[in-house]
Amino acid sequence: MKKKTITYQDVPLFDGIAEKSLEAMLHCLQHNRKEYTKGSYILLEEECVQYIGIVLRGRVHMLKEDIWGEQTLLTYMGPGEVFGETFALRKEQRSYVSYMAAEDCEIMFLALDKLLHPCPRSCSFHTQLSQNMYDLMGEKNIRLMERIEVASKSTLREKLLAYLSLQAQKQGARSFTVPLSRTEMAQYLQSNRSAMTRELSAMRAEGILDFDGNTFQLKE
């Protein structure tokens, strides 16, 4: 079943911008929309990045590939989230990572130079857009710190508990749903899926947690 595409009002980058201004704003930012099937690449490492992407439907994975072809899942973006802005801001404007559609996706692209620099018409929404972009970049830095926190743990069990704890804190409950499949979670934790599955089963047997599919519960 095809997932629903979010409305522009649900995009954090557009917070505080009047609905009546959206059409003019999108025209000014040279926007375009494109659909991608699951598993297809949206942007490849070393490609030039002149547009930022906004996920309107589906999920996007940020992947880094080493010299041997092994991929690491660095982070992931869902509806409303922005990607590519870090590399579009660089002088060389080349991506350090690849972005792949983890599900069937719909992406909106915006010209970053039009977003960061007011146009000759001095559109009133540019100041709000710039502020929203800085706020989102701050959120991205927090996501990076979370990634470092998980990756810094020395054992697979510690990495699993760190990741699950972060998800529980974000959702404000000990029972929560994770956005990743088992294969994706193993990739995010830089682990073998079988080893991760065994560790989860061991922790359930020890009464540390319980799970059913993507729903987990951390015990007291």
Side-chain angles (χ1 to χ4, degrees), residues 1-48:
M1 183 177 180
K2 188 174 181 179
K3 291 187 176 181
K4 183 179 179 181
T5 299
I6 63 171
T7 66
Y8 295 158
Q9 287 75 23
D10 294 324
V11 175
L13 181 61
F14 303 153
D15 282 351
I17 296 172
E19 186 174 354
K20 63 182 180 180
S21 300
L22 281 174
E23 185 175 347
M25 177 194 71
L26 293 173
H27 176 74
C28 183
L29 298 178
Q30 299 178 352
H31 87 292
N32 65 85
R33 294 167 62 159
K34 188 172 180 181
E35 294 188 351
Y36 295 85
T37 57
K38 179 180 179 180
S40 59
Y41 283 93
I42 300 167
L43 181 71
L44 290 170
E45 186 173 343
E46 294 299 327
E47 278 194 274
C48 184

mmCIF file of all heavy atoms in Angstrom, residues 1-48:
data_model
loop_
_atom_site.group_PDB
_atom_site.id
_atom_site.type_symbol
_atom_site.label_atom_id
_atom_site.label_comp_id
_atom_site.label_asym_id
_atom_site.label_seq_id
_atom_site.Cartn_x
_atom_site.Cartn_y
_atom_site.Cartn_z
ATOM 1 N N MET A 1 0.843 -1.200 0.000
ATOM 2 C CA MET A 1 0.000 0.000 0.000
ATOM 3 C C MET A 1 0.886 1.261 0.000
ATOM 4 O O MET A 1 1.799 1.384 0.809
ATOM 5 C CB MET A 1 -0.901 0.018 1.247
ATOM 6 C CG MET A 1 -1.850 1.195 1.295
ATOM 7 S SD MET A 1 -2.934 1.092 2.759
ATOM 8 C CE MET A 1 -3.896 2.568 2.510
ATOM 9 N N LYS A 2 0.612 2.166 -0.926
ATOM 10 C CA LYS A 2 1.415 3.369 -1.061
ATOM 11 C C LYS A 2 1.190 4.311 0.108
ATOM 12 O O LYS A 2 0.052 4.627 0.460
ATOM 13 C CB LYS A 2 1.068 4.081 -2.373
ATOM 14 C CG LYS A 2 1.987 5.244 -2.721
ATOM 15 C CD LYS A 2 1.659 5.789 -4.093
ATOM 16 C CE LYS A 2 2.576 6.926 -4.478
ATOM 17 N NZ LYS A 2 2.281 7.454 -5.824
ATOM 18 N N LYS A 3 2.296 4.748 0.722
ATOM 19 C CA LYS A 3 2.178 5.652 1.853
ATOM 20 C C LYS A 3 1.766 7.048 1.391
ATOM 21 O O LYS A 3 2.020 7.453 0.261
ATOM 22 C CB LYS A 3 3.505 5.717 2.612
ATOM 23 C CG LYS A 3 3.856 4.431 3.335
ATOM 24 C CD LYS A 3 5.085 4.608 4.200
ATOM 25 C CE LYS A 3 5.375 3.350 4.994
ATOM 26 N NZ LYS A 3 6.566 3.507 5.860
ATOM 27 N N LYS A 4 1.149 7.769 2.308
ATOM 28 C CA LYS A 4 0.644 9.098 1.995
ATOM 29 C C LYS A 4 1.775 10.116 1.950
ATOM 30 O O LYS A 4 2.705 10.076 2.757
ATOM 31 C CB LYS A 4 -0.391 9.506 3.061
ATOM 32 C CG LYS A 4 -1.049 10.851 2.789
ATOM 33 C CD LYS A 4 -2.068 11.168 3.867
ATOM 34 C CE LYS A 4 -2.722 12.522 3.621
ATOM 35 N NZ LYS A 4 -3.701 12.856 4.690
ATOM 36 N N THR A 5 1.692 11.022 0.994
ATOM 37 C CA THR A 5 2.649 12.124 0.897
ATOM 38 C C THR A 5 2.220 13.239 1.840
ATOM 39 O O THR A 5 1.057 13.630 1.869
ATOM 40 C CB THR A 5 2.702 12.655 -0.547
ATOM 41 O OG1 THR A 5 3.126 11.605 -1.425
ATOM 42 C CG2 THR A 5 3.666 13.831 -0.656
ATOM 43 N N ILE A 6 3.163 13.751 2.637
ATOM 44 C CA ILE A 6 2.817 14.814 3.580
ATOM 45 C C ILE A 6 2.571 16.115 2.831
ATOM 46 O O ILE A 6 3.033 16.314 1.704
ATOM 47 C CB ILE A 6 3.921 15.016 4.638
ATOM 48 C CG1 ILE A 6 5.236 15.481 3.982
ATOM 49 C CG2 ILE A 6 4.142 13.746 5.450
ATOM 50 C CD1 ILE A 6 6.293 15.900 4.994
ATOM 51 N N THR A 7 1.849 17.018 3.473
ATOM 52 C CA THR A 7 1.581 18.332 2.887
ATOM 53 C C THR A 7 2.747 19.262 3.186
ATOM 54 O O THR A 7 3.557 19.014 4.083
ATOM 55 C CB THR A 7 0.292 18.932 3.464
ATOM 56 O OG1 THR A 7 0.487 19.196 4.868
ATOM 57 C CG2 THR A 7 -0.880 17.967 3.294
ATOM 58 N N TYR A 8 2.830 20.339 2.457
ATOM 59 C CA TYR A 8 3.906 21.303 2.673
ATOM 60 C C TYR A 8 3.827 21.912 4.072
ATOM 61 O O TYR A 8 4.851 22.285 4.653
ATOM 62 C CB TYR A 8 3.852 22.410 1.619
ATOM 63 C CG TYR A 8 4.122 21.935 0.210
ATOM 64 C CD1 TYR A 8 3.687 22.654 -0.888
ATOM 65 C CD2 TYR A 8 4.821 20.752 -0.019
ATOM 66 C CE1 TYR A 8 3.936 22.221 -2.184
ATOM 67 C CE2 TYR A 8 5.065 20.303 -1.307
ATOM 68 C CZ TYR A 8 4.618 21.046 -2.381
ATOM 69 O OH TYR A 8 4.876 20.597 -3.659
ATOM 70 N N GLN A 9 2.635 22.005 4.634
ATOM 71 C CA GLN A 9 2.471 22.555 5.974
ATOM 72 C C GLN A 9 3.112 21.663 7.041
ATOM 73 O O GLN A 9 3.372 22.110 8.158
ATOM 74 C CB GLN A 9 0.990 22.764 6.306
ATOM 75 C CG GLN A 9 0.325 23.927 5.580
ATOM 76 C CD GLN A 9 0.037 23.618 4.114
ATOM 77 O OE1 GLN A 9 -0.062 22.446 3.728
ATOM 78 N NE2 GLN A 9 -0.094 24.656 3.298
ATOM 79 N N ASP A 10 3.374 20.391 6.685
ATOM 80 C CA ASP A 10 3.992 19.456 7.621
ATOM 81 C C ASP A 10 5.520 19.424 7.509
ATOM 82 O O ASP A 10 6.173 18.634 8.193
ATOM 83 C CB ASP A 10 3.446 18.034 7.387
ATOM 84 C CG ASP A 10 1.970 17.915 7.709
ATOM 85 O OD1 ASP A 10 1.524 18.579 8.663
ATOM 86 O OD2 ASP A 10 1.259 17.180 6.994
ATOM 87 N N VAL A 11 6.068 20.267 6.657
ATOM 88 C CA VAL A 11 7.522 20.317 6.468
ATOM 89 C C VAL A 11 8.112 21.362 7.418
ATOM 90 O O VAL A 11 7.805 22.553 7.294
ATOM 91 C CB VAL A 11 7.873 20.666 5.009
ATOM 92 C CG1 VAL A 11 9.385 20.835 4.838
ATOM 93 C CG2 VAL A 11 7.345 19.596 4.064
ATOM 94 N N PRO A 12 8.969 20.959 8.378
ATOM 95 C CA PRO A 12 9.526 21.917 9.341
ATOM 96 C C PRO A 12 10.265 23.088 8.705
ATOM 97 O O PRO A 12 10.285 24.184 9.263
ATOM 98 C CB PRO A 12 10.482 21.049 10.177
ATOM 99 C CG PRO A 12 9.881 19.680 10.119
ATOM 100 C CD PRO A 12 9.337 19.565 8.722
ATOM 101 N N LEU A 13 10.878 22.870 7.535
ATOM 102 C CA LEU A 13 11.594 23.958 6.870
ATOM 103 C C LEU A 13 10.649 25.111 6.529
ATOM 104 O O LEU A 13 11.079 26.266 6.422
ATOM 105 C CB LEU A 13 12.257 23.438 5.586
ATOM 106 C CG LEU A 13 13.061 24.447 4.773
ATOM 107 C CD1 LEU A 13 14.221 25.017 5.592
ATOM 108 C CD2 LEU A 13 13.584 23.821 3.485
ATOM 109 N N PHE A 14 9.364 24.811 6.377
ATOM 110 C CA PHE A 14 8.391 25.844 5.996
ATOM 111 C C PHE A 14 7.608 26.390 7.197
ATOM 112 O O PHE A 14 6.628 27.110 7.015
ATOM 113 C CB PHE A 14 7.415 25.278 4.962
ATOM 114 C CG PHE A 14 8.077 24.742 3.718
ATOM 115 C CD1 PHE A 14 7.467 23.740 2.971
ATOM 116 C CD2 PHE A 14 9.304 25.236 3.290
ATOM 117 C CE1 PHE A 14 8.078 23.241 1.821
ATOM 118 C CE2 PHE A 14 9.915 24.743 2.145
ATOM 119 C CZ PHE A 14 9.303 23.739 1.408
ATOM 120 N N ASP A 15 8.027 26.053 8.407
ATOM 121 C CA ASP A 15 7.343 26.561 9.603
ATOM 122 C C ASP A 15 7.306 28.092 9.602
ATOM 123 O O ASP A 15 8.302 28.754 9.280
ATOM 124 C CB ASP A 15 8.061 26.088 10.883
ATOM 125 C CG ASP A 15 7.734 24.647 11.234
ATOM 126 O OD1 ASP A 15 6.839 24.068 10.596
ATOM 127 O OD2 ASP A 15 8.384 24.102 12.152
ATOM 128 N N GLY A 16 6.155 28.647 9.977
ATOM 129 C CA GLY A 16 6.028 30.094 10.100
ATOM 130 C C GLY A 16 5.806 30.819 8.790
ATOM 131 O O GLY A 16 5.736 32.052 8.768
ATOM 132 N N ILE A 17 5.688 30.086 7.694
ATOM 133 C CA ILE A 17 5.448 30.705 6.379
ATOM 134 C C ILE A 17 3.980 30.545 6.018
ATOM 135 O O ILE A 17 3.444 29.431 6.034
ATOM 136 C CB ILE A 17 6.353 30.073 5.311
ATOM 137 C CG1 ILE A 17 7.819 30.358 5.647
ATOM 138 C CG2 ILE A 17 6.011 30.618 3.925
ATOM 139 C CD1 ILE A 17 8.804 29.639 4.791
ATOM 140 N N ALA A 18 3.326 31.642 5.738
ATOM 141 C CA ALA A 18 1.889 31.624 5.458
ATOM 142 C C ALA A 18 1.583 30.760 4.244
ATOM 143 O O ALA A 18 2.345 30.744 3.270
ATOM 144 C CB ALA A 18 1.376 33.044 5.232
ATOM 145 N N GLU A 19 0.469 30.050 4.314
ATOM 146 C CA GLU A 19 0.081 29.156 3.223
ATOM 147 C C GLU A 19 -0.031 29.910 1.902
ATOM 148 O O GLU A 19 0.327 29.388 0.849
ATOM 149 C CB GLU A 19 -1.250 28.479 3.561
ATOM 150 C CG GLU A 19 -1.666 27.418 2.570
ATOM 151 C CD GLU A 19 -2.912 26.670 3.004
ATOM 152 O OE1 GLU A 19 -3.392 26.887 4.137
ATOM 153 O OE2 GLU A 19 -3.415 25.855 2.202
ATOM 154 N N LYS A 20 -0.502 31.145 1.966
ATOM 155 C CA LYS A 20 -0.674 31.930 0.745
ATOM 156 C C LYS A 20 0.662 32.290 0.089
ATOM 157 O O LYS A 20 0.713 32.655 -1.091
ATOM 158 C CB LYS A 20 -1.450 33.211 1.045
ATOM 159 C CG LYS A 20 -0.741 34.164 1.999
ATOM 160 C CD LYS A 20 -1.583 35.392 2.294
ATOM 161 C CE LYS A 20 -0.876 36.354 3.245
ATOM 162 N NZ LYS A 20 -1.702 37.548 3.535
ATOM 163 N N SER A 21 1.770 32.170 0.849
ATOM 164 C CA SER A 21 3.093 32.499 0.315
ATOM 165 C C SER A 21 3.816 31.284 -0.258
ATOM 166 O O SER A 21 4.860 31.435 -0.907
ATOM 167 C CB SER A 21 3.960 33.115 1.418
ATOM 168 O OG SER A 21 3.385 34.299 1.926
ATOM 169 N N LEU A 22 3.272 30.094 -0.013
ATOM 170 C CA LEU A 22 3.979 28.872 -0.389
ATOM 171 C C LEU A 22 4.242 28.765 -1.892
ATOM 172 O O LEU A 22 5.340 28.409 -2.316
ATOM 173 C CB LEU A 22 3.206 27.641 0.099
ATOM 174 C CG LEU A 22 3.355 27.300 1.575
ATOM 175 C CD1 LEU A 22 2.432 26.151 1.956
ATOM 176 C CD2 LEU A 22 4.802 26.938 1.900
ATOM 177 N N GLU A 23 3.254 29.062 -2.691
ATOM 178 C CA GLU A 23 3.408 28.918 -4.138
ATOM 179 C C GLU A 23 4.514 29.831 -4.664
ATOM 180 O O GLU A 23 5.375 29.407 -5.447
ATOM 181 C CB GLU A 23 2.094 29.214 -4.852
ATOM 182 C CG GLU A 23 2.165 28.960 -6.354
ATOM 183 C CD GLU A 23 0.820 29.139 -7.042
ATOM 184 O OE1 GLU A 23 -0.218 29.224 -6.348
ATOM 185 O OE2 GLU A 23 0.820 29.193 -8.287
ATOM 186 N N ALA A 24 4.493 31.092 -4.221
ATOM 187 C CA ALA A 24 5.526 32.036 -4.654
ATOM 188 C C ALA A 24 6.898 31.608 -4.145
ATOM 189 O O ALA A 24 7.904 31.720 -4.857
ATOM 190 C CB ALA A 24 5.192 33.440 -4.160
ATOM 191 N N MET A 25 6.946 31.097 -2.915
ATOM 192 C CA MET A 25 8.206 30.670 -2.319
ATOM 193 C C MET A 25 8.804 29.502 -3.099
ATOM 194 O O MET A 25 9.994 29.499 -3.431
ATOM 195 C CB MET A 25 7.987 30.259 -0.868
ATOM 196 C CG MET A 25 9.236 29.725 -0.174
ATOM 197 S SD MET A 25 8.848 28.895 1.374
ATOM 198 C CE MET A 25 8.062 27.407 0.735
ATOM 199 N N LEU A 26 7.980 28.505 -3.415
ATOM 200 C CA LEU A 26 8.473 27.334 -4.124
ATOM 201 C C LEU A 26 8.955 27.698 -5.534
ATOM 202 O O LEU A 26 9.932 27.141 -6.027
ATOM 203 C CB LEU A 26 7.383 26.258 -4.183
ATOM 204 C CG LEU A 26 7.016 25.641 -2.830
ATOM 205 C CD1 LEU A 26 5.816 24.710 -2.974
ATOM 206 C CD2 LEU A 26 8.201 24.899 -2.243
ATOM 207 N N HIS A 27 8.273 28.629 -6.156
ATOM 208 C CA HIS A 27 8.719 29.097 -7.475
ATOM 209 C C HIS A 27 10.076 29.783 -7.346
ATOM 210 O O HIS A 27 10.982 29.557 -8.169
ATOM 211 C CB HIS A 27 7.695 30.066 -8.062
ATOM 212 C CG HIS A 27 8.130 30.674 -9.369
ATOM 213 N ND1 HIS A 27 8.134 29.967 -10.554
ATOM 214 C CD2 HIS A 27 8.606 31.925 -9.662
ATOM 215 C CE1 HIS A 27 8.576 30.753 -11.524
ATOM 216 N NE2 HIS A 27 8.870 31.938 -11.012
ATOM 217 N N CYS A 28 10.233 30.576 -6.318
ATOM 218 C CA CYS A 28 11.482 31.303 -6.092
ATOM 219 C C CYS A 28 12.636 30.335 -5.839
ATOM 220 O O CYS A 28 13.770 30.578 -6.269
ATOM 221 C CB CYS A 28 11.314 32.242 -4.897
ATOM 222 S SG CYS A 28 12.749 33.280 -4.534
ATOM 223 N N LEU A 29 12.346 29.221 -5.160
ATOM 224 C CA LEU A 29 13.382 28.250 -4.804
ATOM 225 C C LEU A 29 13.604 27.196 -5.884
ATOM 226 O O LEU A 29 14.331 26.239 -5.668
ATOM 227 C CB LEU A 29 13.002 27.559 -3.487
ATOM 228 C CG LEU A 29 12.893 28.465 -2.260
ATOM 229 C CD1 LEU A 29 12.463 27.663 -1.046
ATOM 230 C CD2 LEU A 29 14.220 29.158 -1.986
ATOM 231 N N GLN A 30 12.969 27.380 -7.051
ATOM 232 C CA GLN A 30 13.137 26.489 -8.203
ATOM 233 C C GLN A 30 12.885 25.024 -7.806
ATOM 234 O O GLN A 30 13.679 24.137 -8.111
ATOM 235 C CB GLN A 30 14.547 26.641 -8.783
ATOM 236 C CG GLN A 30 14.838 28.046 -9.288
ATOM 237 C CD GLN A 30 16.257 28.198 -9.818
ATOM 238 O OE1 GLN A 30 17.086 27.313 -9.689
ATOM 239 N NE2 GLN A 30 16.531 29.355 -10.402
ATOM 240 N N HIS A 31 11.793 24.791 -7.133
ATOM 241 C CA HIS A 31 11.517 23.451 -6.616
ATOM 242 C C HIS A 31 11.105 22.484 -7.716
ATOM 243 O O HIS A 31 10.580 22.878 -8.759
ATOM 244 C CB HIS A 31 10.409 23.519 -5.563
ATOM 245 C CG HIS A 31 9.026 23.442 -6.132
ATOM 246 N ND1 HIS A 31 8.488 24.441 -6.910
ATOM 247 C CD2 HIS A 31 8.083 22.463 -6.050
ATOM 248 C CE1 HIS A 31 7.269 24.103 -7.268
ATOM 249 N NE2 HIS A 31 6.999 22.899 -6.770
ATOM 250 N N ASN A 32 11.401 21.218 -7.477
ATOM 251 C CA ASN A 32 10.860 20.153 -8.307
ATOM 252 C C ASN A 32 10.700 18.906 -7.445
ATOM 253 O O ASN A 32 11.366 18.755 -6.419
ATOM 254 C CB ASN A 32 11.737 19.875 -9.533
ATOM 255 C CG ASN A 32 13.102 19.345 -9.174
ATOM 256 O OD1 ASN A 32 13.274 18.141 -8.984
ATOM 257 N ND2 ASN A 32 14.093 20.228 -9.063
ATOM 258 N N ARG A 33 9.812 18.010 -7.858
ATOM 259 C CA ARG A 33 9.517 16.797 -7.104
ATOM 260 C C ARG A 33 9.810 15.577 -7.972
ATOM 261 O O ARG A 33 9.596 15.593 -9.176
ATOM 262 C CB ARG A 33 8.056 16.783 -6.657
ATOM 263 C CG ARG A 33 7.736 17.879 -5.649
ATOM 264 C CD ARG A 33 6.255 18.089 -5.439
ATOM 265 N NE ARG A 33 5.572 16.904 -4.899
ATOM 266 C CZ ARG A 33 4.409 16.961 -4.273
ATOM 267 N NH1 ARG A 33 3.805 18.119 -4.095
ATOM 268 N NH2 ARG A 33 3.844 15.857 -3.823
ATOM 269 N N LYS A 34 10.309 14.539 -7.308
ATOM 270 C CA LYS A 34 10.655 13.321 -8.037
ATOM 271 C C LYS A 34 10.385 12.106 -7.161
ATOM 272 O O LYS A 34 10.575 12.168 -5.940
ATOM 273 C CB LYS A 34 12.128 13.350 -8.457
ATOM 274 C CG LYS A 34 12.531 12.219 -9.391
ATOM 275 C CD LYS A 34 13.945 12.411 -9.916
ATOM 276 C CE LYS A 34 14.341 11.273 -10.848
ATOM 277 N NZ LYS A 34 15.726 11.434 -11.361
ATOM 278 N N GLU A 35 9.948 11.015 -7.771
ATOM 279 C CA GLU A 35 9.696 9.774 -7.053
ATOM 280 C C GLU A 35 10.838 8.785 -7.304
ATOM 281 O O GLU A 35 11.415 8.749 -8.393
ATOM 282 C CB GLU A 35 8.358 9.160 -7.486
ATOM 283 C CG GLU A 35 7.157 10.014 -7.091
ATOM 284 C CD GLU A 35 5.839 9.306 -7.349
ATOM 285 O OE1 GLU A 35 5.856 8.223 -7.989
ATOM 286 O OE2 GLU A 35 4.795 9.820 -6.905
ATOM 287 N N TYR A 36 11.146 7.990 -6.273
ATOM 288 C CA TYR A 36 12.192 6.978 -6.355
ATOM 289 C C TYR A 36 11.648 5.665 -5.804
ATOM 290 O O TYR A 36 10.927 5.658 -4.800
ATOM 291 C CB TYR A 36 13.422 7.389 -5.527
ATOM 292 C CG TYR A 36 14.125 8.617 -6.029
ATOM 293 C CD1 TYR A 36 13.699 9.889 -5.648
ATOM 294 C CD2 TYR A 36 15.215 8.520 -6.886
ATOM 295 C CE1 TYR A 36 14.339 11.033 -6.111
ATOM 296 C CE2 TYR A 36 15.866 9.655 -7.356
ATOM 297 C CZ TYR A 36 15.422 10.905 -6.962
ATOM 298 O OH TYR A 36 16.056 12.029 -7.418
ATOM 299 N N THR A 37 12.013 4.576 -6.447
ATOM 300 C CA THR A 37 11.604 3.267 -5.958
ATOM 301 C C THR A 37 12.595 2.780 -4.897
ATOM 302 O O THR A 37 13.764 3.205 -4.872
ATOM 303 C CB THR A 37 11.531 2.236 -7.096
ATOM 304 O OG1 THR A 37 12.820 2.163 -7.740
ATOM 305 C CG2 THR A 37 10.474 2.633 -8.110
ATOM 306 N N LYS A 38 12.123 1.901 -4.037
ATOM 307 C CA LYS A 38 12.960 1.354 -2.971
ATOM 308 C C LYS A 38 14.247 0.764 -3.543
ATOM 309 O O LYS A 38 14.239 0.031 -4.527
ATOM 310 C CB LYS A 38 12.188 0.270 -2.218
ATOM 311 C CG LYS A 38 12.971 -0.382 -1.093
ATOM 312 C CD LYS A 38 12.146 -1.437 -0.383
ATOM 313 C CE LYS A 38 12.947 -2.113 0.725
ATOM 314 N NZ LYS A 38 12.153 -3.147 1.442
ATOM 315 N N GLY A 39 15.370 1.127 -2.922
ATOM 316 C CA GLY A 39 16.664 0.605 -3.338
ATOM 317 C C GLY A 39 17.385 1.438 -4.377
ATOM 318 O O GLY A 39 18.559 1.177 -4.674
ATOM 319 N N SER A 40 16.723 2.444 -4.929
ATOM 320 C CA SER A 40 17.376 3.286 -5.935
ATOM 321 C C SER A 40 18.126 4.431 -5.249
ATOM 322 O O SER A 40 17.769 4.879 -4.167
ATOM 323 C CB SER A 40 16.358 3.837 -6.929
ATOM 324 O OG SER A 40 15.372 4.607 -6.276
ATOM 325 N N TYR A 41 19.179 4.897 -5.901
ATOM 326 C CA TYR A 41 19.998 5.970 -5.337
ATOM 327 C C TYR A 41 19.456 7.338 -5.747
ATOM 328 O O TYR A 41 19.144 7.585 -6.911
ATOM 329 C CB TYR A 41 21.450 5.827 -5.771
ATOM 330 C CG TYR A 41 22.184 4.750 -5.009
ATOM 331 C CD1 TYR A 41 22.250 3.449 -5.504
ATOM 332 C CD2 TYR A 41 22.781 5.031 -3.786
ATOM 333 C CE1 TYR A 41 22.911 2.458 -4.790
ATOM 334 C CE2 TYR A 41 23.438 4.053 -3.072
ATOM 335 C CZ TYR A 41 23.502 2.762 -3.578
ATOM 336 O OH TYR A 41 24.142 1.784 -2.869
ATOM 337 N N ILE A 42 19.380 8.203 -4.769
ATOM 338 C CA ILE A 42 18.944 9.578 -4.998
ATOM 339 C C ILE A 42 20.149 10.456 -5.328
ATOM 340 O O ILE A 42 20.089 11.340 -6.179
ATOM 341 C CB ILE A 42 18.213 10.113 -3.751
ATOM 342 C CG1 ILE A 42 16.987 9.244 -3.458
ATOM 343 C CG2 ILE A 42 17.819 11.582 -3.927
ATOM 344 C CD1 ILE A 42 16.375 9.490 -2.092
ATOM 345 N N LEU A 43 21.237 10.177 -4.639
ATOM 346 C CA LEU A 43 22.483 10.924 -4.847
ATOM 347 C C LEU A 43 23.646 9.994 -4.524
ATOM 348 O O LEU A 43 23.619 9.295 -3.517
ATOM 349 C CB LEU A 43 22.529 12.154 -3.930
ATOM 350 C CG LEU A 43 23.751 13.056 -4.044
ATOM 351 C CD1 LEU A 43 23.722 13.822 -5.367
ATOM 352 C CD2 LEU A 43 23.800 14.041 -2.877
ATOM 353 N N LEU A 44 24.649 9.999 -5.379
ATOM 354 C CA LEU A 44 25.818 9.145 -5.181
ATOM 355 C C LEU A 44 26.985 9.948 -4.625
ATOM 356 O O LEU A 44 27.112 11.156 -4.869
ATOM 357 C CB LEU A 44 26.236 8.500 -6.506
ATOM 358 C CG LEU A 44 25.292 7.426 -7.058
ATOM 359 C CD1 LEU A 44 25.701 7.068 -8.482
ATOM 360 C CD2 LEU A 44 25.293 6.191 -6.163
ATOM 361 N N GLU A 45 27.830 9.249 -3.868
ATOM 362 C CA GLU A 45 29.037 9.865 -3.334
ATOM 363 C C GLU A 45 29.851 10.479 -4.470
ATOM 364 O O GLU A 45 29.950 9.921 -5.557
ATOM 365 C CB GLU A 45 29.862 8.798 -2.603
ATOM 366 C CG GLU A 45 31.076 9.332 -1.884
ATOM 367 C CD GLU A 45 31.755 8.275 -1.041
ATOM 368 O OE1 GLU A 45 31.128 7.231 -0.764
ATOM 369 O OE2 GLU A 45 32.922 8.494 -0.677
ATOM 370 N N GLU A 46 30.389 11.649 -4.206
ATOM 371 C CA GLU A 46 31.210 12.429 -5.136
ATOM 372 C C GLU A 46 30.387 13.218 -6.151
ATOM 373 O O GLU A 46 30.955 14.020 -6.910
ATOM 374 C CB GLU A 46 32.227 11.549 -5.892
ATOM 375 C CG GLU A 46 33.299 10.944 -5.009
ATOM 376 C CD GLU A 46 34.153 11.985 -4.304
ATOM 377 O OE1 GLU A 46 34.382 13.060 -4.884
ATOM 378 O OE2 GLU A 46 34.577 11.741 -3.165
ATOM 379 N N GLU A 47 29.082 13.039 -6.181
ATOM 380 C CA GLU A 47 28.262 13.855 -7.076
ATOM 381 C C GLU A 47 28.186 15.294 -6.558
ATOM 382 O O GLU A 47 28.247 15.547 -5.349
ATOM 383 C CB GLU A 47 26.842 13.288 -7.190
ATOM 384 C CG GLU A 47 26.714 12.153 -8.166
ATOM 385 C CD GLU A 47 25.256 11.849 -8.487
ATOM 386 O OE1 GLU A 47 24.635 11.076 -7.739
ATOM 387 O OE2 GLU A 47 24.755 12.389 -9.493
ATOM 388 N N CYS A 48 28.010 16.208 -7.479
ATOM 389 C CA CYS A 48 27.859 17.618 -7.121
ATOM 390 C C CYS A 48 26.473 17.838 -6.522
ATOM 391 O O CYS A 48 25.471 17.343 -7.036
ATOM 392 C CB CYS A 48 28.049 18.492 -8.352
ATOM 393 S SG CYS A 48 27.992 20.256 -8.018
#
